[in-house]
Amino acid sequence: MLLRAVGLHNFRGYRNFKLKFAPLTSLLGEGEVGKKTILRAMDIFFNGPLAKRPLKLQDLNEKALKAGDWQIAITCCFDDFAIKKSFDLKQYLEESDSFAEEGGDFQPVTDQSRYRQLSAGMPLYVFFDEESKAASPLNFVARSAIRDKEA
């Protein structure tokens, strides 16, 4: 399963942004134009609190803050579904997950096994933090799903 697109809402310099990926995509551009921001968002999406640089209040887009919109959302779209992680910064970084199957609207994740099933279908990309030696929680989800299938 390939990552097809990443959407950012109110994250750093991006108010509403969607980047579509080809099978091989490179991020090119001058310094300070947002390449690292996209990579940081993906690190937060896949690694959560174990991200190299976890989400902070300073990551909220300035225009969004002035408009009273305290929500950051990072959406990853795969072949057949998308998962959106939303962070309400007004509620001390309260996190919620939603998913949408191809062509559908986002629904809140209430059944953890459904989310686990979707996550287990993702390719295993482990973002490794040299300082903390922490591997991605996605690694744990995928290994758990494999162990469940074997049982």
Side-chain angles (χ1 to χ4, degrees), residues 28-85:
L28 302 173
E30 296 179 20
E32 303 298 318
V33 295
K35 299 178 301 291
K36 192 183 290 184
T37 297
I38 294 166
L39 296 175
R40 280 188 177 150
M42 290 172 60
D43 186 29
I44 290 167
F45 179 89
F46 285 108
N47 297 322
L50 298 178
K52 185 165 182 128
R53 187 185 163 281
L55 194 63
K56 297 179 181 177
L57 180 60
Q58 295 88 335
D59 292 324
L60 184 63
N61 180 281
E62 286 182 32
K63 290 181 182 175
L65 181 61
K66 289 177 183 172
D69 185 356
W70 288 76
Q71 187 179 73
I72 289 175
I74 302 168
T75 306
C76 285
C77 303
F78 298 91
D79 286 332
D80 301 322
F81 64 91
I83 296 176
K84 177 165 63 174
K85 290 187 149 315

Side-chain angles (χ1 to χ4, degrees), residues 109-150:
V109 173
T110 53
D111 179 4
Q112 290 303 314
S113 63
R114 174 69 176 154
Y115 180 63
R116 183 174 171 174
Q117 177 187 349
L118 292 172
S119 298
M122 291 185 212
L124 183 57
Y125 296 112
V126 177
F127 293 88
F128 191 73
D129 180 348
E130 288 295 330
E131 295 172 14
S132 68
K133 305 291 185 203
S136 167
L138 186 57
N139 190 359
F140 172 77
V141 170
R143 278 190 291 179
S144 297
I146 291 167
R147 194 170 44 246
D148 290 351
K149 283 182 183 177
E150 291 172 353

